[in-house]
Amino acid sequence: MSKTFYITTPIYYVNGAPHLGHAYTSTAADVLARWHRLAGDEVFFLTGTDEHGQKVEAAARNAGIAPQEFTDRVSADFRDMAQAMNISNDDFIRTTEPRHKAACQAIWSKLQENGFIYLGAYEGWYAVRDEAFYDESETALKPDGTRYALASGAAVEWVVEPSYFFKLSAFQDRLLAFYEENPGFIAPAAKRNEILSFVRGGLNDLSISRTSFSWGVKVPGDEKHVMYVWLDALVNYLTAIGYPEMSGPRAKFWPASLHLVGKEIIRFHAVYWPAFLMGAGLELPKKVFSHGWWTVEGEKMSKSLGNFIDVRPLVQEYGLDQIRYFILREVPFGNDGDFSKESLHRRINSDLANGIGNLSQRTLSFIGKNAGAAVPPKGSLTEADEALLAEAAALPAKLHAAMDKLAFHEALDEIWRLIRAADGYIDSQAPWSLRKTDLDRMNSVLYTLCVVLRTLGVVLQPFMPETMSKLLDYLGLDEARSLAVLDVPLAEGTALPTPTGLFPRVGV
C-alpha cells in the first residue's frame, strides 16, 4: 500500500531575485519528491512565493510600481527558476491568491475563537529586513549608535503601534513536551538544541498584526490591521491542501511529512508554526529540516558584493543535471557550503565524466560493436558476477536509509561506490580479451554490467532526471522505471541504440 508524502520548500520572499540558495532548497526537495515517487508513494510537493509585508511594499515603491505588479513579476521569475532546475512541484502557491487569503482569515478566526488572540499595543525592536521582532537581548549597538539584530545583522527600529497578539507564552510547556515526544521533529541536531534552548528561555506573546502598512491579508473584523507576514506565510502549507475544508482530495496529505527550510527561518517553523497549529486544533508536521547557506569563493552572498549566483546561466554553461548533482554532492546537507568553479569542474570531470559517464560509454559502445547491439544473454554467472550483482541489489535499501535522514551526500557516496566496483570489475574481467577467447563468458560479463547500469540509472533519476532518462533509453528500458523494475530480470536480447557520451568534460 502506498504512503503519502507531503514535502514543502519555504515560500520564497519576493523582495529580491532567485539565486543559488533558493535553487538549492528546491532541488533538495525535488530529489526527495522524486525518490518517494520512485518508491511508489503518493507525493504532494509544494513550492511558491511569499508576497506580502513591509519589505515588499517598500521594494514596489522603490521600483515605482504597484505591489501586485511587483509581486507578479518576481513570482514569475521564481517560477522560471523552478522550471530551469526541472523542479517537479505539484503546486506553486502565491500568498496573494484568493484561496490563501481565505485560509489565513479562517485560521485567524479559529485562533480567536479558541481564545489565543487578543488586542493590545506593540512596543519593541523590529527589523524590516527580517520582518521579525526582537527582544533587546537579541540586539546590539554598532559604533555609530544604530541598533541591529545579532542573528541577522539587520537594522532594527523601535516600533509602537496597536497590535493583535497571539498567546505564544501559553504554548511553552506544550511545545517542550512535543519536542520531547518527537525527537526527530527538528533536524539537524544542532538546530534542535538551539530551538530547545530558545523555548526553555521563555516565550513572550507574539505580535501578529500591523497597522503601519497595508500590503497584507486583512484581519477579519478589523481591516485597519494586516496580518503579520509570518502568520500569513506559514499558513500556505495548509492553503495548498484545501484548508479550512479538510475533506478535499489533498486533505489526506496533512500533516506535512517534511518542511525543508533555510537555517535562518528555523524558529518560525519549529516554534511559531507548531504553536499556531496547536492553537487551531490541527496536527503538527512530522519534521522540519534546516539546511545551511552557500558562500561564493569563501564570501557570503550579498547584493553589495555583487556575488549573488543566478543558477540559470550556470545551467546553460554546464548542463542542468551537472548543477543539480554538484549542489547536493559537494557538502553534507545541513552544513554550509562554498561554491567555486574549480570545485564544480572537479565534480563534473571526476564523478560524472570519468565516473558514470565513462562506465556507461565503455560498456554500451562495446556491446554495440561486439555483442550485436542488444542486451547479451546472461549465461552462467561466476562468483565475481554474483558479488557485483549483490552489491547492486543492496543499493536501494542503503539509499532509503540515507534519504530518510536527508543525507544526500551519503546516498551519492553509496552510488559511486557501486560505480567504482563496476569499473574494477570491467578491468578484472577484461571483456575485450574474452572477445577472442570466450564469447559466452564475455556476454555474461556484459549482461552483469547492463544490470548494474540499469540500477544506477534508476536510482540516480531523482538527482539527474534528464541524463538518467537518456541512460535508461540506451539500456532499452520501457516506461516502467520505478524502483520496482529492479526486481524484474533484465530482458536478454533487447535491442540497444547507439549511445553517446552522457557528461562531456569541462574546463579542459
Side-chain angles (χ1 to χ4, degrees):
M1 182 176 163
S2 70
K3 299 179 294 181
T4 59
F5 183 73
Y6 177 16
I7 183 169
T8 69
T9 71
I11 48 174
Y12 301 122
Y13 205 40
V14 297
N15 67 317
H19 56 67
L20 175 63
H22 304 116
Y24 183 48
T25 315
S26 290
T27 304
D30 183 61
V31 168
L32 289 167
R34 289 176 184 271
W35 177 257
H36 279 268
R37 291 188 195 111
L38 273 191
D41 296 339
E42 195 172 357
V43 172
F44 180 52
F45 172 18
L46 179 68
T47 190
T49 45
D50 178 8
E51 302 180 20
H52 289 134
Q54 195 171 356
K55 267 194 299 190
V56 173
E57 190 175 74
R61 191 184 310 116
N62 291 339
I65 55 177
Q68 187 65 59
E69 184 183 350
F70 178 84
T71 58
D72 287 347
R73 287 182 190 177
V74 185
S75 182
D77 202 21
F78 275 93
R79 197 184 290 262
D80 181 74
M81 183 272 290
Q83 290 170 347
M85 291 301 294
N86 199 5
I87 306 303
S88 63
N89 52 292
D90 298 295
D91 196 353
F92 187 100
I93 193 162
R94 300 182 58 190
T95 57
T96 49
E97 294 178 56
R99 61 170 173 162
H100 180 67
K101 293 174 184 176
C104 287
Q105 292 180 329
I107 201 167
W108 181 286
S109 297
K110 179 58 72 173
L111 291 170
Q112 201 162 38
E113 178 188 317
N114 291 348
F116 294 115
I117 291 178
Y118 64 91
L119 183 61
Y122 178 76
E123 287 192 48
W125 296 107
Y126 183 74
V128 173
R129 194 180 88 191
D130 299 340
E131 301 275 14
F133 302 100
Y134 291 102
D135 290 332
E136 188 153 321
S137 63
E138 297 177 296
T139 70
L141 287 172
K142 291 183 177 179
D144 64 2
T146 58
R147 190 171 290 273
Y148 67 98
L150 290 167
S152 67
V156 295
E157 57 189 31
W158 188 258
V159 172
V160 181
E161 62 179 278
S163 177
Y164 284 93
F165 285 81
F166 172 70
K167 292 182 181 177
L168 184 63
S169 58
F171 292 89
Q172 181 171 339
D173 291 342
R174 283 182 66 181
L175 285 168
L176 290 171
F178 178 77
Y179 301 150
E180 185 70 27
E181 292 161 12
N182 299 275
F185 175 65
I186 305 167
K191 287 297 165 189
R192 172 180 160 80
N193 295 337
E194 179 186 309
I195 293 300
L196 283 170
S197 176
F198 175 74
V199 176
R200 286 173 181 150
L203 296 176
N204 298 320
D205 289 351
L206 184 68
S207 171
I208 55 167
S209 77
R210 304 291 305 277
T211 57
S212 57
F213 62 94
S214 60
W215 184 242
V217 178
K218 304 294 184 190
V219 167
D222 192 349
E223 296 203 348
K224 297 189 300 295
H225 291 254
V226 295
M227 290 185 199
Y228 173 44
V229 70
W230 271 104
L231 172 56
D232 165 1
L234 289 162
V235 172
N236 93 87
Y237 306 130
L238 286 172
T239 303
I241 54 102
Y243 184 83
E245 301 300 325
M246 299 294 274
S247 56
R250 289 180 175 176
K252 63 186 170 188
F253 289 105
W254 193 261
S257 309
L258 175 64
H259 291 319
L260 203 55
V261 301
K263 64 181 180 179
E264 74 282 5
I265 55 174
I266 185 67
R267 185 186 299 180
F268 300 101
H269 284 80
V271 181
Y272 302 162
W273 182 224
F276 294 151
L277 291 167
M278 288 175 176
L282 295 166
E283 284 188 85
L284 273 58
K286 295 172 186 172
K287 184 185 281 289
V288 176
F289 190 103
S290 87
H291 63 74
W293 288 338
W294 280 90
T295 53
V296 179
E297 309 280 356
E299 297 276 2
K300 185 177 177 181
M301 281 195 284
S302 76
K303 288 177 182 172
S304 58
L305 289 173
N307 65 345
F308 268 88
I309 292 182
D310 182 343
V311 290
R312 288 166 288 192
L314 285 176
V315 167
Q316 290 295 320
E317 184 175 356
Y318 293 102
L320 170 58
D321 286 347
Q322 288 88 330
I323 299 301
R324 285 175 61 104
Y325 173 80
F326 172 78
I327 58 180
L328 292 177
R329 178 65 184 85
E330 186 65 4
V331 290
F333 196 67
N335 294 5
D336 291 341
D338 186 60
F339 180 90
S340 72
K341 289 284 184 77
E342 182 184 346
S343 299
L344 175 60
H345 289 183
R346 187 171 62 250
R347 286 285 177 200
I348 292 173
N349 291 335
S350 65
D351 296 8
L352 299 180
N354 294 349
I356 188 165
N358 185 51
L359 174 65
S360 61
Q361 188 64 16
R362 71 195 294 206
T363 301
L364 295 172
S365 60
F366 187 88
I367 290 172
K369 292 171 185 171
N370 302 287
V375 175
K378 179 178 177 181
S380 301
L381 300 183
T382 66
E383 192 175 320
D385 306 334
E386 297 284 11
L388 185 62
L389 290 172
E391 195 168 338
L395 186 59
K398 293 176 182 176
L399 298 186
H400 276 304
M403 297 294 240
D404 281 350
K405 58 182 181 176
L406 282 74
F408 301 110
H409 66 293
E410 288 183 19
L412 291 167
D413 271 348
E414 292 290 353
I415 292 168
W416 256 258
R417 188 171 288 117
L418 178 60
I419 291 170
R420 288 191 295 273
D423 275 333
Y425 170 84
I426 292 182
D427 292 341
S428 65
Q429 300 302 315
W432 49 88
S433 297
L434 293 169
R435 181 171 61 87
K436 303 167 187 170
T437 60
D438 190 342
L439 285 177
D440 288 342
R441 177 67 199 136
M442 178 194 80
N443 284 331
S444 294
V445 168
L446 296 173
Y447 176 88
T448 300
L449 287 167
C450 284
V451 173
V452 171
L453 283 173
R454 180 180 68 166
T455 301
L456 292 168
V458 168
V459 301
L460 274 170
Q461 286 175 105
F463 293 92
M464 299 182 284
E466 288 185 354
T467 316
M468 291 307 109
S469 175
K470 191 186 296 185
L471 174 57
L472 295 174
D473 287 345
Y474 292 156
L475 288 163
L477 228 61
D478 62 20
E479 292 179 3
R481 296 180 174 188
S482 69
L483 291 176
V485 79
L486 300 180
D487 297 326
V488 178
L490 188 62
E492 300 170 26
T494 302
L496 302 183
T498 303
T500 58
L502 297 177
F503 297 105
R505 290 176 59 81
V506 297
V508 291

